[in-house]
Amino acid sequence: MINSWQELETYQPRVKRLLINSIEKQRLAHAYLFEGKKGTGKRNIGILFAKSFFCENLQHAEPCNNCRNCRRIDSGNHPDVHVVEPDGLSIKKGQIQALQEEFSKSGVESNKKLYMIVHADKMTVNAANSLLKFLEEPNANTIAILLTEQYHRMLNTILSRCQLVSFQPLLPKAIEKLLVDEGIPGHVASLVSQLTNDSEDAITIAKDDWFAQARTKVIKLYEVMVTRKGQAPIFVHTEWMMHFNEKEKQEIGLDLLLYIYKDLLSIKVGNEDQVIYHDIIQQLKQNALQMTQRSLTEKMSSILEAKNRLHANVNPQLLMEQLVLTLQEG
């Protein structure tokens, strides 16, 4: 949960600058369209914006997070902040009409009102036209925040009445920091941050016991290939295939294995700060001494080729057995 604009510098610096500038100069648009991929923080930042709009102790655009308004917005109980989400697969005209009726009343506690429409691209045509009338005649001190992952599906007439705020995919370092802030161990956070740029997915993966076990299995397979080469095919049969028992999981397993060899290459070329499996870096340093850059590049290519072959209905156990034999060469 992002509670301050300062925190946002790590995740969405351009969004931070645009919105803080509007708040500090008191030049708020009557409607914003937050667009970007899933997990880029749109809803979280919409809540932060609402707190800045209603905070009783605002300091240079930063909400205090302690006043009655901030606390009620965090808990979803502020009477003048309304969130509309799809009812089933779409947002219906009746939902927009109910919102308009609510906003025709004076503010319960002040003359300010704010509403957020989640997945605004899922409005029916009638709902969108109903909202359009609302946007064409904005009330003073009323702010609309529309959230979407697919703004190209929205009416141009609605787009033209909103200030567009684009959210960029999160960088691995930003995902890693977010996970660490959530209490995820650093060695898990660094690995998960390579798998997704969706903050919500990242948190789900990092807290999944299956993923923690997958990471352990991958490290163990690597150690077996290095120290007990003849045991690697047996390990694939007895442990790997039991855990990575579906195509999607097998892909994740190959990705996790690939990152070990990327780490070895990073160490080899002097980029230790880029190592992902930093909890086993000493072991990787020793192993890297026995390998050339060329052999590491070839091993990484073999893993990527195996990923491609997974989609060609190749027997996954046979694929893994062939792969470990290839990785043990050189």
Side-chain angles (χ1 to χ4, degrees), residues 77-96:
N77 291 320
H78 196 289
D80 293 323
V81 176
H82 300 267
V83 178
V84 178
E85 301 192 56
D87 177 11
L89 296 176
S90 63
I91 295 172
K92 316 284 194 299
K93 180 180 180 181
Q95 291 176 269
I96 301 300

Side-chain angles (χ1 to χ4, degrees), residues 74-310:
D74 274 334
S75 65
N77 291 320
H78 196 289
D80 293 323
V81 176
H82 300 267
V83 178
V84 178
E85 301 192 56
D87 177 11
L89 296 176
S90 63
I91 295 172
K92 316 284 194 299
K93 180 180 180 181
Q95 291 176 269
I96 301 300
Q97 288 177 327
L99 182 70
Q100 290 170 320
E101 185 177 332
E102 188 65 38
F103 274 66
S104 66
K105 307 170 187 174
S106 59
V108 174
E109 299 188 12
S110 72
N111 62 347
K112 295 180 178 180
K113 281 182 176 287
L114 181 145
Y115 63 94
M116 188 186 307
I117 300 181
V118 182
H119 295 300
D121 54 281
K122 294 185 178 180
M123 286 186 287
T124 64
V125 173
N126 286 338
N129 285 328
S130 187
L131 177 69
L132 184 58
K133 295 175 185 176
F134 205 18
L135 293 175
E136 285 173 341
E137 301 172 3
N139 297 326
N141 293 318
T142 293
I143 291 180
I145 300 176
L146 280 57
L147 312 183
T148 180
E149 294 164 26
Q150 303 183 73
Y151 80 101
H152 58 277
R153 291 191 172 184
M154 297 176 62
L155 294 177
N156 286 332
T157 44
I158 287 181
L159 297 180
S160 66
R161 286 164 175 78
C162 297
Q163 180 170 344
L164 184 66
V165 182
S166 292
F167 285 64
Q168 301 303 309
L170 299 187
L171 297 174
K173 283 297 179 186
I175 292 283
E176 184 176 348
K177 183 181 184 304
L178 183 148
L179 291 175
V180 170
D181 290 344
E182 286 279 327
I184 304 299
H187 64 277
V188 175
S190 63
L191 185 56
V192 174
S193 70
Q194 302 298 314
L195 296 175
T196 178
N197 56 17
D198 180 333
S199 60
E200 297 166 17
D201 279 355
I203 292 170
T204 300
I205 294 168
K207 293 183 176 179
D208 187 348
D209 288 341
W210 179 89
F211 179 77
Q213 293 168 25
R215 185 181 187 277
T216 301
K217 297 281 185 194
V218 169
I219 293 173
K220 190 172 179 182
L221 174 61
Y222 169 71
E223 291 171 345
V224 168
M225 287 191 291
V226 171
T227 61
R228 304 191 305 278
K229 293 186 176 182
Q231 299 296 310
I234 298 172
F235 181 88
V236 167
H237 176 68
T238 58
E239 294 198 44
W240 183 276
M241 295 309 301
M242 294 278 287
H243 194 69
F244 300 98
N245 53 7
E246 299 169 7
K247 186 172 289 186
E248 185 178 339
K249 292 179 178 178
Q250 289 154 8
E251 283 194 61
I252 292 173
L254 289 172
D255 280 335
L256 301 188
L257 187 60
L258 177 67
Y259 294 137
I260 288 183
Y261 287 93
K262 286 183 73 174
D263 280 355
L264 289 163
L265 186 58
S266 293
I267 291 167
K268 197 73 181 173
V269 300
N271 292 332
E272 289 183 18
D273 59 323
Q274 295 181 14
V275 168
I276 299 163
Y277 287 89
H278 43 73
D279 56 329
I280 59 168
I281 190 170
Q282 295 306 321
Q283 176 187 348
L284 295 177
K285 280 183 178 181
Q286 292 177 359
N287 298 154
L289 294 172
Q290 315 301 321
M291 303 178 188
T292 65
Q293 290 184 37
R294 180 176 177 179
S295 70
L296 287 169
T297 302
E298 289 173 350
K299 292 177 193 301
M300 289 165 62
S301 295
S302 297
I303 296 172
L304 291 170
E305 182 182 344
K307 271 193 71 177
N308 289 332
R309 292 180 64 200
L310 264 182

